[in-house]
Amino acid sequence: MRTKMLVATAAAAALTLTGCGNAPVASRSAGAAAIAGLGAEHVMVGMAFDVGGRGDKSFNDMAGAGLERAKKELEIDVTETAPATGEDDVRLATLNKLVDSGNNPVFAVGFQYVNALKKAAAAHPETTFAIIDDDSIAANNVVSLVFAEEQGSYLVGAAAALKSHTGTVGFIGGVQIPLLQKFEAGFTAGAKRVNPKIKVQVKYLSAPPDFSGFGVPDKAKQIGAGMLDDGADVIYAAAGGSGAGALQAVAAADGAAFVGVDSDQYASADAAVQPVVLTSMLKRVDNAVFQEIQAFVKGDHAGGVRRFDLKTDGVGYATSNQAEIAPLQSELDSLRQQLYDGRIVAPTKP
C-alpha cells in the first residue's frame, strides 16, 4: 500500500481559509477545470459523520465543508448520513447503506469507524473508502487521512502562553486516547517553549470505553470553570461539540481567553463571545476531503496514507481575531517556520 503524495498546483491558492496564517495547501490536481469531461458528474460520494454530526462547529463541520466544496466545484452527487452513535454493527450498517446506494468513494469521519470500516472494505473491494484520523487499516481500497495535530497545537500553546497573565493555562480533551494526547502534547510543549515555568492544567471528559466526551458541553463548562477558579486564564478545548461548553465558561470569566479547535471558532461563534476566542488550532479536514474526492474523480482509486501537516497546510492557527492575535503573530510565525523546517519537532505524546 503506497503513500499518496501531494502535487502542488496553481489551483491550490483557492484552498486557503479565512483567518489561517498558513501558505496555501497543495493539491493533486490542476483544479476543477482540468477534470472537465472526466465524468465527475457521475461520481456519487457518501459521508458518514462522527458523533455530534453537522453543527458541531468543529471536526464534522470541516468534513462537511470539504464535501460541499467538492459538490460545487466537481459537480458530484453526495449522500450524507446522520452520525452513527451506536456500536460497531450500527456503523457497519451505515457504511453498507452508503455503498448499496451507489456511493463510491465513501468517507468515514472519525476513528470510531475503524472496526466497521475493516469489514465494509473487505466486503466491498470495488469501493474506495476514506477514513479520517486512523491509519491502521492496510487495505488496497482504504485511504487514511491523518494530521499532524501536534504541530498546530504547539502553535496555539505558544499563543496561550504569550497571552496568559497568570502563568497558568488549561487543556480540555474530549476522550483520553492517543489521538487527543497529540493535541495535549503539542499544546504543552508550545506553551513551555514560550514560558518554561508555565503551569498547564489537563482534564479529559471521558476515557475509553466511554467516548461520550465529545458530546457533553455541560461537563466541559463545569471543568472549564474549575480551571479558571484554579488560576488558568487561557483554555484550549479539543473536545468536538463539548468545546462549546468550555467557551461558555471562558466567556463568563473576566479577562480569560479561549482557544478553539479544528475550525476557526472565532468565525462561527456568536458575536457576544467572539472577543474571547484568541485563536483556533486549524485542522484542515475540509482540504483532505476535497483533495481525496478530486483525486478519485481523476482516476486515483488506490489506498494509502496521506498525512496533512504544516507543509501541506493541513494544520495551522487562525488569525481572525486580529485585535488579540496580531501582537503575537511575529513570534508565532517564527515558531511556525521552525516547525516547518524541522528545527522544532513537536511531541506526539505527553
Side-chain angles (χ1 to χ4, degrees), residues 50 58-60 62-63 107-114 117 130-137 142-150 177-180 182-183 214 238 240 261-262 281 283-285 288-289 304-308 314-315:
D50 201 2
S58 185
F59 183 68
N60 288 287
M62 289 295 277
F107 284 79
V109 183
F111 65 88
Q112 291 192 73
Y113 280 96
V114 63
L117 186 57
I131 184 167
I132 299 170
D133 281 349
D134 179 84
D135 62 358
S136 67
I137 303 176
V142 176
V143 181
S144 299
L145 308 177
V146 295
F147 299 80
E149 295 94 349
E150 71 281 2
I177 53 175
L179 173 63
L180 271 295
K182 289 170 66 180
F183 291 79
F214 295 118
V261 74
D262 295 337
M281 194 286 278
K283 180 173 175 177
R284 299 303 306 274
V285 178
V289 168
V305 178
R306 298 187 62 212
R307 184 174 184 267
F308 293 80
V315 295

Side-chain angles (χ1 to χ4, degrees), residues 11-25:
L15 298 180
T16 53
L17 177 71
T18 300
C20 175
N22 295 333
V25 68

Side-chain angles (χ1 to χ4, degrees), residues 29 31-40 73-74 294 297-298:
S29 166
I35 62 174
L38 291 181
E73 296 187 20
L74 307 180
Q294 191 178 53
V297 168
K298 289 195 69 180

